[in-house]
Amino acid sequence: MAALKLALIGCGAIGTAVLELLRADAGLQVAAIVVPGPSLAGARAVAAQLAPGAVVAEAVPEAGIDLVLEAAGHAAIEAHVLPALRRGVRCIVASVGALSAPGLPEALEQAAREGGAQVQLIAGAIGAIDALAAARIGGLEQVRYTGRKPPRAWQGTPAEEGRELAALTEPTVIFEGSARQAAQLYPKNANVAATVSLAGLGLDRTTVRLIADPGVSENVHQVEAEGAFGRFELTMRNQPLAANPKTSALTVYSAVRAVRQHLLPLSV
Ligand SMILES: NC(=O)C1=CN([C@@H]2O[C@H](COP(=O)(O)OP(=O)(O)OC[C@H]3O[C@@H](n4cnc5c(N)ncnc54)[C@H](O)[C@@H]3O)[C@@H](O)[C@H]2O)C=CC1
Ligand SMILES: O=C([O-])CC(=O)C(=O)O
């Protein structure tokens, strides 16, 4: 059988780690790596080591791609995922927070319908998305998400306004509001808030708290959900990636799992 041809969008912390893990997968060929112009040289160096056959370009090739994996950032959904779906290419999305932009979920559905393709949002750094999505069918009353990361993970975000992150000595709530607001204000840190909300009560009814905590070294994600099914509390203590402290290693494994689900005859 012909190998499944993958286009990887983004070649940063997640993309590079994904390439390492998928390197030896039978039946898979990394055919393209897509990054913006200024990142081309860096991506070519990574490709030379981990995906020597891949074309490195600024757009997904118009032909010869069976599956797209996005691990780039919110802007990549509009720029690359929508056109790929319209061409009929299945897409896996890590930047789930992009769906907080009004109209984007509908645009993704429309593009997928047009192309006869499907878009898959990965669970990424969070768990229990299956339980939450199932619980929604019976009716959910409340879903709360708390994201707690070391101060350095919040660098370059609105959390820096009015405070010096490096000087924090106590856990500090940097945001309280809806999942939609969280995903928009913290596009590199609150994708899981969007994922939890899309599986559960929606972007506007899911309450979110984000905390900069000098007492933790992990990225800690908590979900509390209540509804007709009963209730659950989930705590994940994720190891961050060395290449990007904002991002948990589990996100990489979740992306690799999603790709492998397209390769394996049986998957869990
Ligand atoms: N669902 C989840 O649990 C999580 C999702 N994410 C998402 O994954 C994204 C990538 O994370 P990392 O690899 O840690 O970030 P990173 O900053 O290390 O790498 C980003 C890569 O994407 C490329 N890029 C940026 N904008 C692009 C665009 N418009 N088109 C194509 N390529 C583009 C960059 O050149 C770089 O190669 C995050 O921005 C976030 O949206 C991150 C962590 C968890
Ligand atoms: O990787 C994580 O721990 C979560 C994250 O950055 C996000 O949800 O955007």
Side-chain angles (χ1 to χ4, degrees):
M1 221 171 72
L4 185 84
K5 294 195 179 61
L6 177 76
L8 171 68
I9 306 176
C11 193
I14 297 175
T16 304
V18 162
L19 288 175
E20 272 165 16
L21 285 168
L22 287 177
R23 213 171 165 183
D25 277 42
L28 181 73
Q29 181 195 339
V30 180
I33 298 174
V34 178
V35 290
S39 301
L40 283 170
R44 287 203 176 103
V46 173
Q49 296 297 314
L50 300 174
V55 170
V56 179
E58 288 182 66
V60 178
E62 295 218 348
I65 300 297
D66 303 311
L67 182 65
V68 161
L69 168 62
E70 177 280 324
H74 289 198
I77 308 299
E78 186 125 23
H80 304 300
V81 172
L82 286 176
L85 285 170
R86 286 190 198 107
R87 290 197 297 271
V89 180
R90 292 169 277 172
C91 293
I92 300 167
V93 163
S95 298
V96 180
L99 277 77
S100 62
L104 195 57
E106 293 79 10
L108 280 167
E109 281 175 12
Q110 175 63 24
R113 275 207 195 91
E114 246 174 82
Q118 271 191 322
V119 57
Q120 180 184 2
L121 311 177
I122 62 166
I126 195 76
I129 292 302
D130 53 350
L132 197 54
R136 180 177 58 184
I137 291 169
L140 283 164
E141 277 142 35
Q142 203 191 26
V143 182
R144 280 165 31 114
Y145 163 77
T146 305
R148 183 184 298 264
K149 295 185 184 183
R152 70 189 189 118
W154 300 105
Q155 276 167 10
T157 77
E160 282 182 320
E161 285 160 24
R163 65 173 71 82
E164 194 171 344
L165 289 170
L168 292 181
T169 54
E170 288 184 3
T172 304
V173 176
I174 54 163
F175 171 86
E176 268 186 300
S178 70
R180 188 184 301 280
Q181 292 165 327
Q184 287 179 351
L185 285 171
Y186 296 89
K188 298 181 180 179
N189 277 308
N191 288 279
V192 295
T195 311
V196 165
S197 71
L198 290 167
L201 269 181
L203 285 151
D204 299 308
R205 288 178 60 209
T206 306
T207 51
V208 171
R209 246 171 14 132
L210 302 177
I211 299 170
D213 187 345
V216 298
S217 55
E218 303 106 341
N219 293 341
V220 185
H221 302 288
Q222 290 175 302
V223 181
E224 296 153 84
E226 223 178 297
F229 77 100
R231 51 181 291 141
F232 79 74
E233 296 95 35
L234 169 81
T235 301
M236 315 273 308
R237 296 184 191 279
N238 291 342
Q239 288 301 324
L241 289 173
N244 185 356
K246 291 180 166 52
T247 297
S248 298
L250 189 67
T251 315
V252 172
Y253 310 143
S254 175
V256 167
R257 171 174 176 260
V259 171
R260 287 186 179 152
Q261 282 177 324
H262 293 263
L263 293 169
L264 299 172
L266 188 156
S267 66
V268 180

